[in-house]
């Protein structure tokens, strides 16, 4: 494939750097590894990787210290490696400094898949998010930096270490003055200890933390309210009423996976169980939480504070001044309803302030929660979990100040990419460049700057030294979850590209250069471990993936102090720029992963770009359409961005996502030539250190240029539905003049596809959902043929998807991609509607364009019993299994594509080109799941219900069951026989219930349930027996095995008293 | 019948011809006519198009089906449109030879030969596409039942497999029919050819035909039976092509009207193509004496009739869409009329429904240039019809979330234009090397008209007494 | 001229195939054919540039068996086709295809029909050629110089020497009486 690799792109995107003549640009003649196209491991390297990974087989530990470093498999897995049987290892993934518990699947020592660790507080039930799922691809990313470089020239660790040692020895006398260490947020106990050790040795050395995703407002809010740093953890499971003040606790929170699970648990509707919790959301953008809201108002960011004040006064927060009316009836109504509901459920409610809101709002939220007695029930305050809770922006500003003042001589940037990710009003990049390129009298480089990072990126480009960082799956370490629970990070594979951990770099400063990360972590915990057998304690910690008793201690807090009241200022004629982390590339650290670039973002379904999202009205005022480039001006900063229309956003606010506009990020993320080479715009310059998530008083103008935005949503779904429902012709593009009127009845509009019923109506009439589709009581046989196939034997597979709890987070999409070796096709091919995802999330908008309701609907293959795709295939390449699977035989497919034409759900994907091979370059091939074929050019593919997992389980069952039934046959007496048969049955049931598809396993809310629909005890059968279970396009009598549970509206307005 | 209807009807052949004169005139085109630069230029041009076709196919095989505009949801594009279009055109020849023979239409005599040739070439072009549009062309033979170690068979419930049998049968039978018709004329060429090489070649092809009376009797029985077989075959083939769509459950495809109205459409476009070829050909080879206004007039009438059936098909589709009350069905129709592909729909309506109404007027039917233009428009219209049926049905089906668009690429167009070139190239060669009109049947015609008595129903001895 | 007239009044040369008369019109040929037949000749054949009603009958040709062969071909095609599909789906390799039964006979009809037509058509042509003894590259008639016109505008009647009743002189006389354009001996 190497001739297909974008070597040319590589040089293309490098050249502007060299042409712009920046001093830093001149530092490096040839980039490290420029002699070899990126993304391609040559034969030796590839074999080396395989060898290194193979060395792990049989738990012999990392290849360099095979006998010393034992990694321990997850407790629920067989003890020894059986070739072909993957092992699961528990470890933890640091993201933005906080730990997420993961289980990693390893095939003969080769990690291939990441799942959530059900025993970890951050991922109850084993749910996960896109970042956990995609981190496995990052491990194998061929664009990761592969060697230590000095001024761009290949160097080696030894040279770096001695140079560093020389530099700091010079500082030793001065107590380390001039040494500055910049890290991300540190929660790692062992790394914290190491840093403190450094600061003990060099008292004058400074340690700074910066994290683009840091929750500065939340922290500041706690300080403002309680006068001290406090960590807040919510218990959504216990809340009947939730009020979110611009908080997207379902996706934009270190604990979002756990929150999503708990939130969903309180939302599930079942026969006779209609007391779902009610969610009020007032937000300045459209978030996943907003899409789940029972009542939602989009407001400009500053208005949220008014809402908070009003709420406070209405729920009777002591000395909260009576709020004057905002003059906005909608806001008034929202607050009144929310307040009433809150008062009705004291102690069983929670008000969540979003990180995007200023500290004042957080303080108010704390006050309200205290007032309603939620503290200790739905809200828990704990000690902060960071080693040193910092205001990271201040910390970074401090560093920049001292850099500019020339007070920094040795700068170690351990992780992160601050040169790209620093706020627009913090001149870190310039300061760093000046510092790096400064030369002393003798013409030597005056200062020492080093960057430890996964990629040779914008920051390393401006540093003298670059050291490859070890991926979390490659090295030892530890990290705390946002609730304080610590986990040991155990590597699944030895460093592929010789990466080092931050601890290893600091070990040079503490003159412990030879200590291995393994030793470092063990030593730290040996000191912590109280008594007992440490080895056993250690093994348990590794096996469970968490360290017992490390959760942060709850703290009692004083009554929250109310903030000073500020007047609502919205400069007329200006827009608010709302800044968020990207749904997929996050702060930019996932930007080089094709999976993430090609992940259709929630709501917009945008891929390979970010955009300036705006409401239809704002777009109408600016007279822009999707892809028109607009100029965003905030103060002296100006950014050009493609506009995109998204209904549900507040008018006159522009939502932008971070993480794009990379200039040095590898062949995937860095912009290339032509309209297909574009990779979004950099939104960081719009960011203000003082308010990282909201820049007020911006101006937006249309430039006249256009930008080819690519989405997988080729038509506005809401309009489409209207077109179908009312037999009316629909427009290609959403324009204010063709949108639904707000009073349109959601229920009738969506009855065909997404069924939405008010909870109150459902409580009265459980058949309401079936009636919507008109199949209630329909018993017509529409086929000429007799039912010819018996699905009553053996397990019969089926799936149930609960629209009430699907939050549209995309975890299932990436999980499926990782599990089933699904190819990415690139921006241009997506624009030609050739994306390959086996499961997609359809977003439907209903209601008015200003206040639409949004519904998420995951659509995998329906595995119809009367599959329309099967009888049209001329070669019998797609057939039905006796277990009810609609199976695709790739080898028999000649690619007539008739099956796709005849699939009413359009879930089939076709390899128009050799996508499978073109998209798995070099080391990424190591990620491939060995149990799944990589599809060749010209064949059709689709969701298989993870048939490889089914078969592995079935074999497992058959082995044990055969064994037991054999014993039963030979049993002495009937009782014995009965007992053994019972045992066999129980075993069969247990193992089959344990079977989970990739999407089901990844789903943070357990909205997807898969299993044996013939087995009445199975969870899926119970769900399919629910009165609100329905199948998509039921009237076609395809008899799908995948069915849906309806979505419910539960606002006080529609009489739903679910929360009462 | 002309003789009985009246005096205004022009004859099927200008008067004054003898057995010798018809023979000499027609075989003269093959045996004694010189190469004209017009023919060479035309051949050169069409051959260039064939080269374009081979390039397009080469690139397709090297790079993959993705070079075309097909996508999800519109997984069928130009390839299938062209296939249906060509196979439709391929229907006129056999229809003329078979149907009109059975119905004793003696005016068919002077056009059936080249119409059949046209059929063969059209089928040849059509036959390319089902293979080319495969994702893995190299495995096309999996569509055919053949013994293999895996005991695998084609999936006989698939309309695509029906297609394979229908189209190949049709191609084969048309070829046989055409060749059998040629045998006596090949004998004529053998006897009349001067050069030895030609005598040998035509001699071999003529298989020693010598016009013995017993041979003629069996020959006519066989020919009549072939006609009797070919007639239902014509109907069945395009019905099955229609079932490629009707047997799917896609709104806009899943329609019982498809088989009949596909057949009508096929004959419609077939006659349009016959006219588009006959009009220049009769001028080029001075055949006005044999292909008279009478023929053009009759073809035009048949176009009108089939055009009306097609129009009825459109009407029925729209009506059923509304009458069914099915949201998807009615939406498909509305989307065709007003959606992004509305222009295609209205082009189709204009060319296939409005324009043919001109054929009600005799002066239009008998004005050669007008008729030629009209026939051309109908060809365009029928191509557009397939575009509408395939693209607009696919691009917006059940789930709005998976709606999409279809944009053809350069290679799509190259393949279409290339097959047109291939078709014309074949036809030019045919004109040069084979009698474009059935000589022996023309002699028969001379016999019947000159002799005053029309030949009674074909000779079956058992009828004799 | 033969020497011994007593033994055989007019003995034909050994290499004589027959005696052929050339006519200018189909009517003349038809009349001639009837006369020759009436005269008791059984082995005579007429050659014409296009089929002439009643000619072969006039020469005593009973009936063509082509029709039966065609019927047989159609039968083979139909039974073979349905049999193949039934065998493939019911006996050889049974699949659950879209929930349809193995013997989805309605879906098997189109191919059955097509192959029936194919069988019939092939049978018709092969049958016709076989019965006509074609291809037959050599035939004595081609030795007759003017026979080339048989594919243009001349009509020939040949009384063959193998006819039991054949006598060269009588035959010549008979043909001469029919006012042909010419009469000539056809040699093997």
């Amino acid at each position: 494939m190497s001739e297909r690799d974008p070597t040319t792109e590589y040089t293309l995107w490098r050249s502007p750097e060299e042409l712009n003549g920046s001093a830093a640009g001149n530092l490096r003649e040839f980039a490290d590894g420029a002699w070899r196209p990126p993304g391609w491991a040559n034969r030796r390297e590839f074999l080396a990787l395989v060898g290194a990974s193979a060395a792990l087989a049989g738990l012999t530990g990392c290849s360099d210290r095979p006998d010393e470093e034992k990694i321990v498999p997850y407790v629920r897995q067989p003890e020894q490696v059986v070739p072909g049987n993957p092992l699961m290892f528990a470890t933890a993934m640091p993201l933005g400094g906080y730990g997420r518990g993961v289980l990693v699947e390893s095939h003969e020592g080769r990690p291939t898949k990441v799942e959530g660790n059900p025993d970890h507080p951050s991922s109850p039930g084993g749910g996960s998010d896109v970042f956990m799922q995609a981190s496995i691809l990052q491990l194998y990313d061929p664009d990761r930096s592969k060697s230590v470089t000095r001024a761009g020239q290949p160097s080696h660790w030894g040279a770096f270490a001695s140079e560093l040692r020389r530099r700091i020895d010079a500082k030793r006398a001065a107590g380390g003055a001039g040494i500055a260490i910049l890290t991300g947020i540190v929660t790692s106990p062992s790394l914290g200890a190491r840093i403190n050790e450094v600061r003990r040795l060099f008292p004058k050395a400074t340690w700074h933390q910066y994290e683009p995703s840091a929750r500065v407002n939340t922290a500041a809010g706690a300080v403002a309210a309680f006068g001290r740093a406090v960590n807040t953890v919510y218990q959504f499971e216990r809340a009947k009423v939730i009020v979110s003040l611009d908080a997207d606790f379902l996706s934009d929170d270190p604990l979002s996976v756990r929150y999503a699970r708990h939130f969903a648990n309180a939302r599930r509707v079942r026969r006779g169980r209609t007391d779902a919790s009610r969610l009020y959301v007032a937000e300045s953008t459209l978030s996943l939480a907003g899409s789940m809201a029972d009542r939602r108002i989009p407001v400009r960011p500053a208005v949220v504070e008014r809402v908070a004040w009003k709420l406070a006064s209405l729920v009777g927060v002591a000395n909260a001044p009576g709020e004057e009316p905002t003059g906005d009836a909608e806001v008034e109504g929202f607050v009144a309803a929310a307040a009433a509901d809150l008062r009705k459920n004291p102690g069983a409610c929670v008000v969540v302030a979003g990180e995007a809101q200023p500290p004042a709002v957080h303080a108010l939220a704390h006050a309200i929660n205290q007032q309603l007695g939620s503290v200790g029930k739905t809200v828990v305050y704990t000690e902060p979990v960071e080693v040193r809770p910092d205001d990271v922006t201040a910390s970074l500003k401090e560093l920049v100040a001292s850099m500019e003042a020339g007070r920094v001589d040795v700068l170690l940037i351990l992780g992160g990419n601050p040169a790209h990710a620093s706020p627009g009003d913090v001149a870190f990049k310039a300061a760093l460049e000046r510092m790096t390129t400064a030369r002393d009298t003798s013409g030597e480089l005056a200062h020492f700057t080093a960057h430890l990072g996964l990629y040779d990126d914008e920051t390393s480009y401006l540093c003298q030294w670059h050291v490859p960082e070890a991926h979390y799956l490659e090295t030892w370490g530890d990290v705390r979850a946002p609730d304080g629970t610590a986990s040991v990070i155990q590597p699944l594979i030895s460093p592929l590209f010789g990466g080092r951990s931050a601890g290893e770099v600091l070990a040079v400063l503490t003159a412990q250069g030879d200590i291995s990360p393994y030793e470092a972590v063990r030593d730290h915990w040996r000191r912590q471990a109280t008594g007992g057998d440490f080895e056993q304690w250690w093994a348990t910690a590794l096996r469970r993936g968490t360290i017992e008793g490390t959760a942060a201690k709850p703290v009692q807090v004083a009554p929250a102090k109310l903030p000073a009241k500020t007047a609502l200022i919205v400069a007329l004629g200006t827009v608010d720029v709302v800044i968020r982390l990207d749904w997929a590339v996050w702060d930019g650290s996932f930007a080089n992963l094709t999976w993430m670039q090609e992940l259709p973002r929630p709501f917009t379904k945008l891929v390979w770009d970010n955009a300036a999202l705006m409401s239809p009205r704002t777009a109408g005022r600016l007279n822009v359409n999707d892809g028109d480039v607009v100029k965003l001006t905030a103060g002296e900063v100006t950014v050009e961005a493609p506009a995109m229309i998204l209904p549900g956003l507040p008018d006159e606010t522009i939502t932008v996502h971070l993480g794009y506009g990379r200039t040095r990020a590898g062949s995937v993320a860095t912009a290339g030539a032509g309209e297909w080479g574009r990779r979004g715009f950099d939104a960081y310059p719009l960011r203000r250190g003082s308010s990282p998530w909201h820049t007020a008083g911006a101006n937006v103008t249309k430039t006249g240029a256009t930008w080819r935005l690519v989405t997988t949503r080729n038509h506005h779904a809401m309009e489409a539905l209207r077109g179908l429902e009312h037999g009316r012709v629909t427009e290609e593009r959403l324009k204010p003049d063709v949108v639904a009127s707000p009073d349109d009845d959601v229920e009738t509009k969506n009855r065909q596809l997404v069924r939405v019923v008010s909870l109150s109506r459902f409580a009265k009439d459980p058949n309401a959902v079936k009636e919507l589709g008109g199949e209630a009581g329909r018993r017509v046989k529409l086929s000429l043929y007799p039912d010819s196939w018996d699905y009553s034997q053996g397990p019969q597979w089926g799936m149930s998807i609960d629209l009430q709890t699907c939050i549209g987070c995309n975890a299932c999409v990436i999980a499926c991609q990782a599990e089933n070796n699904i190819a990415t096709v690139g921006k241009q091919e997506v624009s030609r509607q050739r994306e390959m995802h086996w499961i997609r999330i359809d977003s439907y908008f209903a209601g008015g364009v200003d206040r639409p309701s949004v519904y998420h609907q995951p659509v995998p293959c329906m595995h119809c019993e009367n599959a329309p795709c099967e009888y049209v295939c001329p070669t019998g390449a797609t057939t039905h299994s006796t277990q009810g699977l609609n199976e695709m035989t790739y080898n028999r497919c000649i690619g007539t594509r008739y099956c796709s034409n005849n699939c009413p759900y359009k879930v089939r994907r076709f390899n128009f080109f050799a996508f499978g091979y073109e998209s798995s370059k070099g080391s990424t091939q190591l990620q491939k799941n060995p149990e799944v074929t990589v599809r060749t050019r010209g064949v059709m593919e689709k969701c298989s219900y993870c048939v490889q997992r089914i078969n592995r389980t079935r074999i497992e069952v058959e082995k044990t069951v055969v064994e037991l039934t054999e014993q039963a046959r030979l049993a002495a007496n009937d009782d014995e026989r009965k007992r053994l048969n019972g045992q066999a049955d129980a075993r069969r049931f247990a193992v089959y219930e344990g079977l989970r598809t990739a999407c089901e396993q990844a789903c943070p809310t357990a909205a997807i349930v898969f299993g044996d629909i013939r087995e009445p005890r199975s969870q899926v059968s119970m769900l399919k027996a629910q009165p609100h279970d329905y199948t998509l396009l039921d009237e076609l009598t395809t008899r799908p095995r995948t069915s849906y549970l309806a979505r419910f509206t539960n606002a006080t307005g529609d009489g739903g008293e679910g929360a009462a | 019948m002309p003789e009985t209807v009246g005096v205004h009807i022009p004859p099927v052949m200008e008067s004054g011809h003898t057995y010798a004169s018809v023979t000499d005139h027609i075989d003269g085109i093959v045996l004694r006519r010189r190469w004209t630069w017009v023919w060479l230029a035309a051949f050169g041009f069409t051959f260039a198009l064939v080269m374009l076709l081979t390039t397009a196919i080469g690139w397709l095989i090297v790079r993959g089906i993705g070079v075309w505009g097909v996508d999800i949801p519109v997984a069928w594009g130009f390839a299938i449109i062209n296939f249906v279009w060509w196979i439709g055109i391929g229907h006129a020849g056999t229809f003329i030879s078979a149907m009109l023979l059975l119905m004793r239409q003696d005016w068919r005599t002077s056009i059936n030969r080249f119409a059949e040739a046209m059929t063969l070439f059209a089928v040849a072009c059509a036959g390319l596409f089902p293979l080319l549009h495969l994702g893995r062309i190299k495995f096309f033979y999996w569509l055919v039942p053949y013994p293999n170690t895996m005991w695998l068979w084609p999936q006989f419930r698939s309309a695509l497999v029906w297609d394979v049998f229908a189209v190949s049968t049709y191609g084969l039978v048309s070829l046989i029919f055409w060749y059998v018709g040629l045998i006596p004329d090949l004998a004529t060429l053998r006897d009349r050819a001067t050069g030895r090489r030609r005598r040998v070649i035509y001699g071999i092809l003529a298989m020693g035909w010598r016009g013995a009376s017993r041979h003629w009797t069996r020959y006519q029985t066989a020919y009549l039976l072939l006609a009797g077989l070919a007639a239902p075959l014509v109907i069945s083939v395009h019905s099955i092509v229609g079932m490629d769509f009707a047997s799917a459950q896609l709104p806009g495809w899943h329609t019982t009207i498809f088989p009949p109205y596909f057949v009508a459409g096929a004959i419609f476009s077939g006659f349009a193509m016959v006219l588009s070829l006959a009009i220049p050909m009769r001028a080029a080879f001075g055949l006005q004496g044999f292909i008279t206004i009478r023929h053009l007039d009759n073809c035009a009438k048949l176009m009108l009739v089939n055009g009306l059936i097609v129009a009825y098909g459109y009407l029925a589709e729209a009506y059923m869409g509304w009458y069914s009350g099915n949201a998807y069905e009615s939406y498909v129709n509305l989307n065709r009329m007003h959606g992004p592909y509305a222009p295609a729909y209205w082009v189709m309506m204009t060319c296939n429904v409005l324009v043919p109404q001109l054929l009600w007027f005799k002066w239009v039917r008998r004005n050669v240039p007008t008729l030629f233009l009209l026939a051309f428009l109908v060809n365009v219209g029928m191509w557009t019809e397939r575009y509408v049926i395939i693209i607009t049905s696919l691009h917006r089906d059940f789930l709005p979330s998976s709606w999409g668009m279809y944009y053809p690429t350069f290679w799509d167009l190259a393949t279409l234009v290339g097959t047109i070139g291939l078709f014309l190239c074949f036809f030019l060669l045919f004109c040069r090397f084979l009698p474009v009109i059935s000589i022996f049947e023309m002699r028969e015609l001379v016999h019947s008209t000159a002799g005053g008595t029309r030949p009674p129903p074909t000779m079956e001895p058992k009828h004799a007494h | 001229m033969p020497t011994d007239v007593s033994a055989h009044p007019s003995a034909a040369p050994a290499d004589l195939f027959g005696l052929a008369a050339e006519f200018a019109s189909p009517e003349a040929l038809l009349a001639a054919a009837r006369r020759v037949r009436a005269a008791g000749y059984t082995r005579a054949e007429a050659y014409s540039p296009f089929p002439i009603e009643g000619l072969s009958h006039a020469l005593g040709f009973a009936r063509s068996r082509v029709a039966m062969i065609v019927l047989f071909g159609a039968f083979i095609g139909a039974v073979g086709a349905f049999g193949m599909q039934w065998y493939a789906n019911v006996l050889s390799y049974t699949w659950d295809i879209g929930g349809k039964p193995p013997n989805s006979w309605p879906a098997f009809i189109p191919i059955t029909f097509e192959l029936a037509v194919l069988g019939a058509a092939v049978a018709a042509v092969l049958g016709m050629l076989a019965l006509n003894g074609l291809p037959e590259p050599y035939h004595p008639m081609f030795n007759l110089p003017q026979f080339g016109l048989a594919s243009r505008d001349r009509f020939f009647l040949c009384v063959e020497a193998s006819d039991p009743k054949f006598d060269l002189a009588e035959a010549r006389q008979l043909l001469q009486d029919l006012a042909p354009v010419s009469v000539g001996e056809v040699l093997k």
Side-chain angles (χ1 to χ4, degrees), chain C residues 79-137:
Chain C
V79 171
F82 193 91
M84 169 183 69
Q85 299 178 76
W86 185 84
Y87 170 75
N89 283 283
V90 179
L91 294 186
S92 167
Y93 210 136
T94 302
W95 274 121
D96 177 351
I97 301 290
K100 298 187 184 336
N103 180 19
S104 313
W105 62 267
F108 302 159
I109 299 302
I111 292 177
T112 308
F113 173 83
E114 294 301 325
L115 288 195
V117 171
L118 185 62
V122 172
V125 175
L126 295 186
M128 181 267 287
L129 291 177
L131 293 171
N132 284 352
L134 296 176
E136 185 179 13

Side-chain angles (χ1 to χ4, degrees), chain A residues 684-709:
Chain A
Y684 278 107
L686 292 169
R687 223 177 176 196
R688 302 283 171 72
S690 49
S691 86
W693 309 104
H694 165 217
T695 302
N699 289 308
V700 53
T701 52
K702 184 179 181 181
T703 61
T706 59
W707 182 311
R708 183 72 174 271
L709 289 177

Side-chain angles (χ1 to χ4, degrees), chain A residues 269-594:
Chain A
V269 172
R270 301 286 179 263
R271 176 188 278 109
R273 187 188 144 203
T274 55
D275 59 342
S277 69
R278 184 177 291 145
L279 172 61
Y280 292 85
V281 176
E283 62 181 352
S284 59
T285 180
L286 179 55
S287 70
L288 294 188
S291 71
M292 300 305 290
D294 297 296
R295 184 151 184 181
R296 167 179 184 272
I297 50 167
V299 291
R300 298 183 68 156
V303 177
V304 176
E305 187 172 343
R306 321 290 0 130
V307 173
W309 276 109
K310 199 157 181 58
L311 214 50
S313 58
L314 287 182
V315 299
V317 169
N319 56 50
E323 178 76 352
E324 73 284 355
T326 56
D328 180 337
E330 187 185 20
V331 174
E332 297 291 327
F334 174 87
V335 178
D341 243 353
L342 286 171
R343 281 203 307 275
K344 233 183 286 167
N345 300 274
C349 61
V350 58
V351 176
V352 192
E355 159 61 19
Q357 285 298 317
V361 176
H362 291 262
L364 285 164
H366 291 306
I368 297 170
N369 286 333
Q370 284 178 327
Q371 169 70 23
L372 294 168
S374 306
V375 180
K377 302 199 181 73
T378 57
V379 185
V380 177
Y381 296 115
T382 73
E383 293 293 345
V385 303
E386 299 82 4
V387 170
R388 187 185 77 190
D390 274 347
D391 176 341
V392 298
T393 327
S395 179
L396 183 66
K397 280 185 172 151
E398 230 169 82
L399 173 62
V400 171
S402 43
M403 282 165 79
E404 282 163 344
R407 289 198 302 274
V408 182
D409 193 28
V410 175
L411 176 61
L412 294 176
I413 303 170
L414 304 179
N417 183 13
H420 170 254
S422 48
D425 59 355
V426 180
F428 177 80
K429 192 173 178 183
L432 177 59
E433 182 168 342
R434 221 174 298 111
M435 183 177 163
T436 303
T437 52
R439 293 174 185 276
D440 60 21
T441 50
S442 62
E444 285 301 303
L445 289 175
H447 309 294
F448 179 92
T449 54
H451 174 242
L452 175 75
L454 277 178
Y455 295 92
D456 181 355
D457 57 20
E458 291 88 346
T459 305
S460 44
Y461 185 74
L462 295 177
C463 288
Q464 184 186 355
W465 287 89
H466 168 70
V467 180
E469 185 179 14
H471 190 267
Y472 80 92
L473 291 170
E474 290 177 330
T475 187
W476 290 90
D478 50 14
V479 67
R480 282 190 193 279
D483 77 333
T485 308
S487 304
V488 173
I489 301 175
Q490 56 174 345
L492 270 285
I493 188 169
S494 61
L496 299 173
F497 308 116
R500 301 282 175 160
S501 68
E504 283 176 275
V505 176
L506 290 179
V508 175
L509 276 64
T510 56
Q512 299 167 286
D514 52 353
I515 187 169
S516 76
Y518 176 67
E519 293 304 337
V521 177
R522 273 172 61 94
D523 291 355
H524 176 78
W525 288 103
R526 189 180 281 111
R527 274 184 255 108
Q528 311 298 317
T530 50
D533 170 9
F534 174 71
E535 289 309 325
Q536 197 190 344
W537 180 93
W538 176 254
T540 319
L542 293 188
R543 189 175 289 112
R544 294 184 66 257
T546 59
I547 300 175
E548 230 157 345
T550 48
K553 306 274 167 295
V555 294
Q556 294 305 320
V557 293
K561 192 150 56 48
L562 290 189
K565 195 147 170 220
T566 54
L568 167 61
I569 308 156
V570 176
L572 291 174
T574 68
V575 298
D576 293 301
V577 177
V578 173
I579 301 163
R580 292 287 186 270
L581 294 164
D582 189 79
W583 304 105
V585 307
W586 211 52
D587 63 355
S589 45
F590 291 86
N592 204 52
L593 305 184
T594 51

Side-chain angles (χ1 to χ4, degrees), chain B residues 81-96 112 114-127 129 170 174 234 237-238 241 262-277 375-386 416 419-420 423-424 427:
Chain B
I81 297 168
N82 300 343
F83 165 70
V84 180
W85 187 60
W86 277 122
I87 203 84
I89 287 170
H91 274 57
T94 316
F95 178 85
I96 291 171
N112 68 335
F114 82 83
E116 286 170 43
M118 181 193 85
T119 291
L120 287 175
F121 306 147
V123 171
C125 291
F129 289 103
Y170 184 63
S174 304
V234 175
V237 171
H238 225 59
V241 172
F262 264 55
V263 173
I267 295 163
F268 187 40
S269 60
F271 272 102
M273 189 55 90
V274 166
L275 284 174
S276 336
L277 291 178
F376 174 77
L377 285 179
V378 169
N379 280 320
V380 173
M382 286 310 292
W383 189 91
T384 324
E385 176 198 295
R386 277 64 179 246
L416 170 60
T419 48
I420 293 175
F423 175 78
L424 295 175
F427 195 77

Side-chain angles (χ1 to χ4, degrees), chain A residues 130 584 594-601 606-607 810 813-814 837:
Chain A
V130 289
T594 51
W595 290 356
M596 289 306 214
Q597 290 285 357
E598 204 158 297
L599 180 65
R601 308 300 195 268
L606 184 65
V607 295
N810 275 333
V813 179
I814 297 289
H837 297 126

Side-chain angles (χ1 to χ4, degrees), chain A residues 720 727 732 832 834 842 868 871-874 891 893-898 902 906 937, chain B residues 61-62 66 68 70-71 75-76 133 135-136 142 155 158 244 247 249 334 396-397 400-401:
Chain A
E732 268 301 289
R832 299 166 76 175
R834 291 170 178 179
D842 293 350
Y871 72 87
V872 297
C873 174
N891 282 350
C893 176
I894 61 174
T896 66
R897 307 185 297 291
Y898 199 175
N902 208 28
K906 290 288 175 285
R937 190 183 93 184
Chain B
I61 291 169
V62 170
W68 288 352
V70 283
D71 56 45
W76 282 358
H133 100 296
R136 299 202 292 173
W142 288 357
Q155 205 282 96
S158 169
D244 286 350
S247 70
Q249 51 136 309
L334 288 163
R396 291 181 176 178
D397 64 344
S401 60

